[in-house]
mmCIF file of all heavy atoms in Angstrom:
data_model
loop_
_atom_site.group_PDB
_atom_site.id
_atom_site.type_symbol
_atom_site.label_atom_id
_atom_site.label_comp_id
_atom_site.label_asym_id
_atom_site.label_seq_id
_atom_site.Cartn_x
_atom_site.Cartn_y
_atom_site.Cartn_z
ATOM 1 N N THR T 1299 3.365 12.141 5.457
ATOM 2 C CA THR T 1299 2.004 12.203 6.011
ATOM 3 C C THR T 1299 1.054 11.343 5.197
ATOM 4 O O THR T 1299 0.197 10.638 5.767
ATOM 5 C CB THR T 1299 1.511 13.657 6.026
ATOM 6 O OG1 THR T 1299 2.374 14.437 6.853
ATOM 7 C CG2 THR T 1299 0.084 13.745 6.552
ATOM 8 N N ALA T 1300 1.192 11.374 3.885
ATOM 9 C CA ALA T 1300 0.332 10.575 3.013
ATOM 10 C C ALA T 1300 0.477 9.098 3.322
ATOM 11 O O ALA T 1300 -0.525 8.368 3.453
ATOM 12 C CB ALA T 1300 0.673 10.856 1.546
ATOM 13 N N LEU T 1301 1.712 8.622 3.467
ATOM 14 C CA LEU T 1301 1.950 7.208 3.725
ATOM 15 C C LEU T 1301 1.447 6.802 5.100
ATOM 16 O O LEU T 1301 0.808 5.746 5.266
ATOM 17 C CB LEU T 1301 3.441 6.900 3.581
ATOM 18 C CG LEU T 1301 3.849 5.431 3.702
ATOM 19 C CD1 LEU T 1301 3.095 4.568 2.698
ATOM 20 C CD2 LEU T 1301 5.349 5.281 3.503
ATOM 21 N N ALA T 1302 1.700 7.628 6.110
ATOM 22 C CA ALA T 1302 1.238 7.319 7.467
ATOM 23 C C ALA T 1302 -0.288 7.251 7.516
ATOM 24 O O ALA T 1302 -0.869 6.343 8.138
ATOM 25 C CB ALA T 1302 1.758 8.369 8.452
ATOM 26 N N SER T 1303 -0.960 8.190 6.852
ATOM 27 C CA SER T 1303 -2.428 8.204 6.841
ATOM 28 C C SER T 1303 -2.978 6.981 6.121
ATOM 29 O O SER T 1303 -3.951 6.357 6.576
ATOM 30 C CB SER T 1303 -2.928 9.478 6.164
ATOM 31 O OG SER T 1303 -2.493 10.625 6.856
ATOM 32 N N ALA T 1304 -2.362 6.619 4.983
ATOM 33 C CA ALA T 1304 -2.825 5.457 4.228
ATOM 34 C C ALA T 1304 -2.669 4.174 5.031
ATOM 35 O O ALA T 1304 -3.541 3.305 5.036
ATOM 36 C CB ALA T 1304 -2.061 5.358 2.908
ATOM 37 N N ARG T 1305 -1.540 4.037 5.725
ATOM 38 C CA ARG T 1305 -1.321 2.840 6.544
ATOM 39 C C ARG T 1305 -2.336 2.751 7.682
ATOM 40 O O ARG T 1305 -2.810 1.657 8.031
ATOM 41 C CB ARG T 1305 0.101 2.865 7.103
ATOM 42 C CG ARG T 1305 1.173 2.514 6.069
ATOM 43 C CD ARG T 1305 2.563 2.755 6.610
ATOM 44 N NE ARG T 1305 3.598 2.281 5.702
ATOM 45 C CZ ARG T 1305 4.887 2.577 5.825
ATOM 46 N NH1 ARG T 1305 5.305 3.375 6.814
ATOM 47 N NH2 ARG T 1305 5.773 2.106 4.961
ATOM 48 N N ALA T 1306 -2.672 3.904 8.254
ATOM 49 C CA ALA T 1306 -3.667 3.910 9.339
ATOM 50 C C ALA T 1306 -5.033 3.457 8.818
ATOM 51 O O ALA T 1306 -5.723 2.663 9.470
ATOM 52 C CB ALA T 1306 -3.758 5.312 9.942
ATOM 53 N N VAL T 1307 -5.421 3.945 7.650
ATOM 54 C CA VAL T 1307 -6.702 3.537 7.063
ATOM 55 C C VAL T 1307 -6.671 2.055 6.718
ATOM 56 O O VAL T 1307 -7.655 1.326 6.917
ATOM 57 C CB VAL T 1307 -7.006 4.385 5.807
ATOM 58 C CG1 VAL T 1307 -8.249 3.859 5.081
ATOM 59 C CG2 VAL T 1307 -7.194 5.850 6.188
ATOM 60 N N ALA T 1308 -5.531 1.563 6.223
ATOM 61 C CA ALA T 1308 -5.419 0.156 5.811
ATOM 62 C C ALA T 1308 -5.535 -0.793 6.993
ATOM 63 O O ALA T 1308 -5.916 -1.959 6.813
ATOM 64 C CB ALA T 1308 -4.081 -0.067 5.097
ATOM 65 N N SER T 1309 -5.219 -0.314 8.176
ATOM 66 C CA SER T 1309 -5.275 -1.192 9.356
ATOM 67 C C SER T 1309 -6.586 -1.051 10.126
ATOM 68 O O SER T 1309 -6.719 -1.617 11.218
ATOM 69 C CB SER T 1309 -4.096 -0.873 10.284
ATOM 70 O OG SER T 1309 -4.178 0.462 10.756
ATOM 71 N N ALA T 1310 -7.545 -0.314 9.551
ATOM 72 C CA ALA T 1310 -8.790 -0.037 10.283
ATOM 73 C C ALA T 1310 -9.770 -1.205 10.264
ATOM 74 O O ALA T 1310 -10.720 -1.226 11.045
ATOM 75 C CB ALA T 1310 -9.465 1.205 9.712
ATOM 76 N N GLY T 1311 -9.598 -2.153 9.333
ATOM 77 C CA GLY T 1311 -10.425 -3.353 9.349
ATOM 78 C C GLY T 1311 -11.652 -3.322 8.462
ATOM 79 O O GLY T 1311 -12.423 -4.295 8.460
ATOM 80 N N TYR T 1312 -11.861 -2.251 7.694
ATOM 81 C CA TYR T 1312 -13.006 -2.213 6.776
ATOM 82 C C TYR T 1312 -12.480 -2.509 5.372
ATOM 83 O O TYR T 1312 -11.834 -1.668 4.745
ATOM 84 C CB TYR T 1312 -13.696 -0.852 6.836
ATOM 85 C CG TYR T 1312 -14.913 -0.747 5.938
ATOM 86 C CD1 TYR T 1312 -16.035 -1.535 6.180
ATOM 87 C CD2 TYR T 1312 -14.929 0.120 4.855
ATOM 88 C CE1 TYR T 1312 -17.154 -1.444 5.355
ATOM 89 C CE2 TYR T 1312 -16.032 0.219 4.027
ATOM 90 C CZ TYR T 1312 -17.142 -0.564 4.281
ATOM 91 O OH TYR T 1312 -18.243 -0.489 3.470
ATOM 92 N N GLU T 1313 -12.736 -3.727 4.883
ATOM 93 C CA GLU T 1313 -12.028 -4.241 3.716
ATOM 94 C C GLU T 1313 -12.170 -3.395 2.454
ATOM 95 O O GLU T 1313 -11.161 -3.172 1.759
ATOM 96 C CB GLU T 1313 -12.446 -5.690 3.412
ATOM 97 C CG GLU T 1313 -11.563 -6.316 2.346
ATOM 98 C CD GLU T 1313 -11.744 -7.814 2.269
ATOM 99 O OE1 GLU T 1313 -12.868 -8.278 2.516
ATOM 100 O OE2 GLU T 1313 -10.759 -8.504 1.936
ATOM 101 N N PRO T 1314 -13.371 -2.921 2.071
ATOM 102 C CA PRO T 1314 -13.449 -2.145 0.819
ATOM 103 C C PRO T 1314 -12.491 -0.952 0.788
ATOM 104 O O PRO T 1314 -11.839 -0.691 -0.227
ATOM 105 C CB PRO T 1314 -14.911 -1.695 0.773
ATOM 106 C CG PRO T 1314 -15.637 -2.738 1.558
ATOM 107 C CD PRO T 1314 -14.708 -3.108 2.667
ATOM 108 N N ILE T 1315 -12.391 -0.226 1.914
ATOM 109 C CA ILE T 1315 -11.474 0.912 1.980
ATOM 110 C C ILE T 1315 -10.051 0.434 2.255
ATOM 111 O O ILE T 1315 -9.071 1.009 1.762
ATOM 112 C CB ILE T 1315 -11.915 1.909 3.071
ATOM 113 C CG1 ILE T 1315 -13.358 2.380 2.802
ATOM 114 C CG2 ILE T 1315 -10.976 3.111 3.105
ATOM 115 C CD1 ILE T 1315 -13.518 3.110 1.500
ATOM 116 N N GLU T 1316 -9.914 -0.662 3.006
ATOM 117 C CA GLU T 1316 -8.599 -1.191 3.338
ATOM 118 C C GLU T 1316 -7.818 -1.561 2.078
ATOM 119 O O GLU T 1316 -6.625 -1.258 1.967
ATOM 120 C CB GLU T 1316 -8.758 -2.417 4.241
ATOM 121 C CG GLU T 1316 -7.439 -3.040 4.651
ATOM 122 C CD GLU T 1316 -7.650 -4.285 5.505
ATOM 123 O OE1 GLU T 1316 -8.760 -4.458 6.063
ATOM 124 O OE2 GLU T 1316 -6.701 -5.089 5.593
ATOM 125 N N VAL T 1317 -8.483 -2.206 1.126
ATOM 126 C CA VAL T 1317 -7.811 -2.615 -0.111
ATOM 127 C C VAL T 1317 -7.328 -1.389 -0.884
ATOM 128 O O VAL T 1317 -6.201 -1.350 -1.376
ATOM 129 C CB VAL T 1317 -8.742 -3.488 -0.975
ATOM 130 C CG1 VAL T 1317 -8.131 -3.726 -2.357
ATOM 131 C CG2 VAL T 1317 -9.013 -4.815 -0.293
ATOM 132 N N SER T 1318 -8.197 -0.366 -0.977
ATOM 133 C CA SER T 1318 -7.804 0.863 -1.677
ATOM 134 C C SER T 1318 -6.624 1.535 -0.983
ATOM 135 O O SER T 1318 -5.694 2.036 -1.638
ATOM 136 C CB SER T 1318 -8.986 1.832 -1.745
ATOM 137 O OG SER T 1318 -10.024 1.307 -2.533
ATOM 138 N N ALA T 1319 -6.635 1.541 0.369
ATOM 139 C CA ALA T 1319 -5.556 2.174 1.117
ATOM 140 C C ALA T 1319 -4.247 1.395 0.954
ATOM 141 O O ALA T 1319 -3.173 1.989 0.794
ATOM 142 C CB ALA T 1319 -5.937 2.262 2.594
ATOM 143 N N LEU T 1320 -4.327 0.055 0.970
ATOM 144 C CA LEU T 1320 -3.132 -0.756 0.762
ATOM 145 C C LEU T 1320 -2.552 -0.526 -0.641
ATOM 146 O O LEU T 1320 -1.334 -0.441 -0.822
ATOM 147 C CB LEU T 1320 -3.470 -2.242 0.948
ATOM 148 C CG LEU T 1320 -3.640 -2.725 2.395
ATOM 149 C CD1 LEU T 1320 -4.200 -4.142 2.410
ATOM 150 C CD2 LEU T 1320 -2.306 -2.668 3.137
ATOM 151 N N HIS T 1321 -3.453 -0.421 -1.601
ATOM 152 C CA HIS T 1321 -3.046 -0.180 -2.985
ATOM 153 C C HIS T 1321 -2.305 1.157 -3.086
ATOM 154 O O HIS T 1321 -1.222 1.249 -3.681
ATOM 155 C CB HIS T 1321 -4.297 -0.195 -3.874
ATOM 156 C CG HIS T 1321 -4.077 0.276 -5.263
ATOM 157 N ND1 HIS T 1321 -4.907 1.185 -5.878
ATOM 158 C CD2 HIS T 1321 -3.117 -0.007 -6.160
ATOM 159 C CE1 HIS T 1321 -4.457 1.419 -7.099
ATOM 160 N NE2 HIS T 1321 -3.380 0.709 -7.301
ATOM 161 N N PHE T 1322 -2.867 2.190 -2.469
ATOM 162 C CA PHE T 1322 -2.244 3.513 -2.487
ATOM 163 C C PHE T 1322 -0.897 3.490 -1.751
ATOM 164 O O PHE T 1322 0.101 4.030 -2.232
ATOM 165 C CB PHE T 1322 -3.196 4.530 -1.828
ATOM 166 C CG PHE T 1322 -2.629 5.901 -1.680
ATOM 167 C CD1 PHE T 1322 -2.482 6.740 -2.778
ATOM 168 C CD2 PHE T 1322 -2.228 6.374 -0.434
ATOM 169 C CE1 PHE T 1322 -1.954 8.020 -2.640
ATOM 170 C CE2 PHE T 1322 -1.706 7.651 -0.289
ATOM 171 C CZ PHE T 1322 -1.566 8.474 -1.384
ATOM 172 N N ALA T 1323 -0.851 2.827 -0.595
ATOM 173 C CA ALA T 1323 0.384 2.771 0.193
ATOM 174 C C ALA T 1323 1.482 2.016 -0.549
ATOM 175 O O ALA T 1323 2.654 2.409 -0.511
ATOM 176 C CB ALA T 1323 0.103 2.116 1.545
ATOM 177 N N LEU T 1324 1.096 0.945 -1.237
ATOM 178 C CA LEU T 1324 2.084 0.161 -1.990
ATOM 179 C C LEU T 1324 2.750 0.997 -3.075
ATOM 180 O O LEU T 1324 3.977 0.952 -3.252
ATOM 181 C CB LEU T 1324 1.413 -1.053 -2.624
ATOM 182 C CG LEU T 1324 1.297 -2.308 -1.757
ATOM 183 C CD1 LEU T 1324 0.473 -3.372 -2.485
ATOM 184 C CD2 LEU T 1324 2.673 -2.853 -1.433
ATOM 185 N N GLN T 1325 1.929 1.749 -3.800
ATOM 186 C CA GLN T 1325 2.490 2.608 -4.848
ATOM 187 C C GLN T 1325 3.482 3.608 -4.258
ATOM 188 O O GLN T 1325 4.571 3.831 -4.812
ATOM 189 C CB GLN T 1325 1.376 3.362 -5.562
ATOM 190 C CG GLN T 1325 0.443 2.506 -6.391
ATOM 191 C CD GLN T 1325 -0.601 3.381 -7.069
ATOM 192 O OE1 GLN T 1325 -0.324 4.080 -8.031
ATOM 193 N NE2 GLN T 1325 -1.807 3.349 -6.550
ATOM 194 N N LEU T 1326 3.085 4.189 -3.113
ATOM 195 C CA LEU T 1326 3.930 5.214 -2.505
ATOM 196 C C LEU T 1326 5.206 4.604 -1.935
ATOM 197 O O LEU T 1326 6.294 5.181 -2.052
ATOM 198 C CB LEU T 1326 3.142 5.940 -1.415
ATOM 199 C CG LEU T 1326 3.745 7.218 -0.842
ATOM 200 C CD1 LEU T 1326 4.196 8.161 -1.940
ATOM 201 C CD2 LEU T 1326 2.726 7.911 0.068
ATOM 202 N N GLU T 1327 5.102 3.413 -1.348
ATOM 203 C CA GLU T 1327 6.283 2.745 -0.789
ATOM 204 C C GLU T 1327 7.294 2.407 -1.889
ATOM 205 O O GLU T 1327 8.514 2.561 -1.698
ATOM 206 C CB GLU T 1327 5.863 1.470 -0.049
ATOM 207 C CG GLU T 1327 5.212 1.745 1.297
ATOM 208 C CD GLU T 1327 4.576 0.498 1.890
ATOM 209 O OE1 GLU T 1327 4.438 -0.512 1.160
ATOM 210 O OE2 GLU T 1327 4.207 0.527 3.068
ATOM 211 N N GLU T 1328 6.794 1.948 -3.020
ATOM 212 C CA GLU T 1328 7.703 1.636 -4.123
ATOM 213 C C GLU T 1328 8.348 2.919 -4.663
ATOM 214 O O GLU T 1328 9.537 2.951 -4.974
ATOM 215 C CB GLU T 1328 6.966 0.902 -5.239
ATOM 216 C CG GLU T 1328 7.908 0.460 -6.361
ATOM 217 C CD GLU T 1328 7.183 -0.229 -7.500
ATOM 218 O OE1 GLU T 1328 5.933 -0.262 -7.505
ATOM 219 O OE2 GLU T 1328 7.873 -0.713 -8.413
ATOM 220 N N GLN T 1329 7.523 3.970 -4.757
ATOM 221 C CA GLN T 1329 8.041 5.253 -5.247
ATOM 222 C C GLN T 1329 9.137 5.784 -4.338
ATOM 223 O O GLN T 1329 10.124 6.366 -4.805
ATOM 224 C CB GLN T 1329 6.878 6.247 -5.336
ATOM 225 C CG GLN T 1329 7.262 7.623 -5.861
ATOM 226 C CD GLN T 1329 6.050 8.552 -5.910
ATOM 227 O OE1 GLN T 1329 4.921 8.132 -6.180
ATOM 228 N NE2 GLN T 1329 6.286 9.815 -5.616
ATOM 229 N N LEU T 1330 8.988 5.561 -3.031
ATOM 230 C CA LEU T 1330 9.968 6.047 -2.061
ATOM 231 C C LEU T 1330 11.131 5.068 -1.881
ATOM 232 O O LEU T 1330 12.058 5.347 -1.122
ATOM 233 C CB LEU T 1330 9.285 6.282 -0.704
ATOM 234 C CG LEU T 1330 8.233 7.394 -0.672
ATOM 235 C CD1 LEU T 1330 7.520 7.414 0.677
ATOM 236 C CD2 LEU T 1330 8.875 8.743 -0.954
ATOM 237 N N GLY T 1331 11.065 3.923 -2.549
ATOM 238 C CA GLY T 1331 12.143 2.942 -2.445
ATOM 239 C C GLY T 1331 12.101 2.112 -1.184
ATOM 240 O O GLY T 1331 13.096 1.469 -0.826
ATOM 241 N N GLU T 1332 10.969 2.096 -0.487
ATOM 242 C CA GLU T 1332 10.863 1.328 0.753
ATOM 243 C C GLU T 1332 10.640 -0.151 0.490
ATOM 244 O O GLU T 1332 10.886 -0.987 1.370
ATOM 245 C CB GLU T 1332 9.742 1.894 1.634
ATOM 246 C CG GLU T 1332 10.025 3.307 2.129
ATOM 247 C CD GLU T 1332 9.036 3.758 3.185
ATOM 248 O OE1 GLU T 1332 8.256 2.901 3.670
ATOM 249 O OE2 GLU T 1332 9.045 4.951 3.538
ATOM 250 N N ILE T 1333 10.131 -0.494 -0.685
ATOM 251 C CA ILE T 1333 10.004 -1.897 -1.074
ATOM 252 C C ILE T 1333 10.514 -2.031 -2.504
ATOM 253 O O ILE T 1333 10.516 -1.066 -3.273
ATOM 254 C CB ILE T 1333 8.547 -2.407 -0.983
ATOM 255 C CG1 ILE T 1333 7.625 -1.582 -1.882
ATOM 256 C CG2 ILE T 1333 8.049 -2.408 0.450
ATOM 257 C CD1 ILE T 1333 6.217 -2.150 -1.960
ATOM 258 N N SER T 1334 10.954 -3.217 -2.847
ATOM 259 C CA SER T 1334 11.478 -3.470 -4.189
ATOM 260 C C SER T 1334 10.320 -3.674 -5.165
ATOM 261 O O SER T 1334 9.189 -3.979 -4.749
ATOM 262 C CB SER T 1334 12.355 -4.715 -4.190
ATOM 263 O OG SER T 1334 11.568 -5.877 -3.932
ATOM 264 N N PRO T 1335 10.570 -3.525 -6.468
ATOM 265 C CA PRO T 1335 9.512 -3.807 -7.453
ATOM 266 C C PRO T 1335 8.971 -5.220 -7.327
ATOM 267 O O PRO T 1335 7.768 -5.446 -7.510
ATOM 268 C CB PRO T 1335 10.228 -3.599 -8.796
ATOM 269 C CG PRO T 1335 11.341 -2.643 -8.491
ATOM 270 C CD PRO T 1335 11.780 -2.987 -7.109
ATOM 271 N N GLU T 1336 9.841 -6.174 -7.001
ATOM 272 C CA GLU T 1336 9.390 -7.565 -6.862
ATOM 273 C C GLU T 1336 8.432 -7.710 -5.679
ATOM 274 O O GLU T 1336 7.412 -8.408 -5.780
ATOM 275 C CB GLU T 1336 10.594 -8.497 -6.673
ATOM 276 C CG GLU T 1336 11.506 -8.627 -7.888
ATOM 277 C CD GLU T 1336 12.379 -7.401 -8.103
ATOM 278 O OE1 GLU T 1336 12.528 -6.582 -7.144
ATOM 279 O OE2 GLU T 1336 12.913 -7.245 -9.219
ATOM 280 N N GLU T 1337 8.753 -7.039 -4.550
ATOM 281 C CA GLU T 1337 7.857 -7.083 -3.388
ATOM 282 C C GLU T 1337 6.534 -6.406 -3.701
ATOM 283 O O GLU T 1337 5.460 -6.884 -3.286
ATOM 284 C CB GLU T 1337 8.525 -6.396 -2.198
ATOM 285 C CG GLU T 1337 9.718 -7.156 -1.638
ATOM 286 C CD GLU T 1337 10.456 -6.355 -0.577
ATOM 287 O OE1 GLU T 1337 10.626 -5.129 -0.757
ATOM 288 O OE2 GLU T 1337 10.860 -6.962 0.431
ATOM 289 N N ALA T 1338 6.587 -5.302 -4.449
ATOM 290 C CA ALA T 1338 5.355 -4.610 -4.823
ATOM 291 C C ALA T 1338 4.481 -5.501 -5.686
ATOM 292 O O ALA T 1338 3.259 -5.580 -5.482
ATOM 293 C CB ALA T 1338 5.693 -3.319 -5.565
ATOM 294 N N ILE T 1339 5.093 -6.187 -6.652
ATOM 295 C CA ILE T 1339 4.330 -7.085 -7.524
ATOM 296 C C ILE T 1339 3.661 -8.183 -6.709
ATOM 297 O O ILE T 1339 2.478 -8.504 -6.898
ATOM 298 C CB ILE T 1339 5.251 -7.685 -8.605
ATOM 299 C CG1 ILE T 1339 5.605 -6.615 -9.644
ATOM 300 C CG2 ILE T 1339 4.593 -8.885 -9.285
ATOM 301 C CD1 ILE T 1339 6.626 -7.075 -10.663
ATOM 302 N N ASP T 1340 4.403 -8.782 -5.768
ATOM 303 C CA ASP T 1340 3.860 -9.868 -4.951
ATOM 304 C C ASP T 1340 2.652 -9.402 -4.144
ATOM 305 O O ASP T 1340 1.614 -10.087 -4.088
ATOM 306 C CB ASP T 1340 4.964 -10.387 -4.029
ATOM 307 C CG ASP T 1340 4.499 -11.577 -3.208
ATOM 308 O OD1 ASP T 1340 4.085 -12.584 -3.807
ATOM 309 O OD2 ASP T 1340 4.537 -11.495 -1.954
ATOM 310 N N GLN T 1341 2.762 -8.222 -3.528
ATOM 311 C CA GLN T 1341 1.645 -7.731 -2.708
ATOM 312 C C GLN T 1341 0.465 -7.288 -3.567
ATOM 313 O O GLN T 1341 -0.699 -7.459 -3.180
ATOM 314 C CB GLN T 1341 2.135 -6.582 -1.824
ATOM 315 C CG GLN T 1341 3.161 -7.037 -0.785
ATOM 316 C CD GLN T 1341 3.550 -5.932 0.170
ATOM 317 O OE1 GLN T 1341 2.685 -5.235 0.720
ATOM 318 N NE2 GLN T 1341 4.845 -5.753 0.383
ATOM 319 N N LEU T 1342 0.745 -6.713 -4.746
ATOM 320 C CA LEU T 1342 -0.341 -6.322 -5.648
ATOM 321 C C LEU T 1342 -1.092 -7.534 -6.168
ATOM 322 O O LEU T 1342 -2.318 -7.492 -6.342
ATOM 323 C CB LEU T 1342 0.222 -5.506 -6.814
ATOM 324 C CG LEU T 1342 0.611 -4.058 -6.507
ATOM 325 C CD1 LEU T 1342 1.441 -3.471 -7.652
ATOM 326 C CD2 LEU T 1342 -0.642 -3.203 -6.282
ATOM 327 N N GLU T 1343 -0.375 -8.625 -6.411
ATOM 328 C CA GLU T 1343 -1.041 -9.865 -6.846
ATOM 329 C C GLU T 1343 -2.001 -10.349 -5.766
ATOM 330 O O GLU T 1343 -3.112 -10.819 -6.070
ATOM 331 C CB GLU T 1343 -0.001 -10.942 -7.165
ATOM 332 C CG GLU T 1343 0.681 -10.799 -8.513
ATOM 333 C CD GLU T 1343 -0.232 -11.199 -9.683
ATOM 334 O OE1 GLU T 1343 -1.438 -11.413 -9.464
ATOM 335 O OE2 GLU T 1343 0.268 -11.247 -10.812
#
């Protein structure tokens, strides 16, 4: 639920909140093994 909610907020189009939501989703995706550490680093950069 946390990941689904964060992704929904990230796609809403309001950049200040979108960046925070993407940041939160990235951490959770890496924690769940959905993306590799290298992919996480690239998106965080």
Side-chain angles (χ1 to χ4, degrees):
T1299 299
L1301 185 56
S1303 299
R1305 285 171 173 168
V1307 173
S1309 62
Y1312 181 65
E1313 189 167 33
I1315 303 298
E1316 180 182 341
V1317 171
S1318 295
L1320 284 170
H1321 169 227
F1322 175 74
L1324 274 174
Q1325 292 181 75
L1326 191 49
E1327 285 169 348
E1328 185 182 7
Q1329 181 180 325
L1330 295 173
E1332 295 190 10
I1333 59 173
S1334 67
E1336 292 75 17
E1337 291 173 319
I1339 287 174
D1340 184 58
Q1341 294 185 48
L1342 284 167
E1343 281 286 10

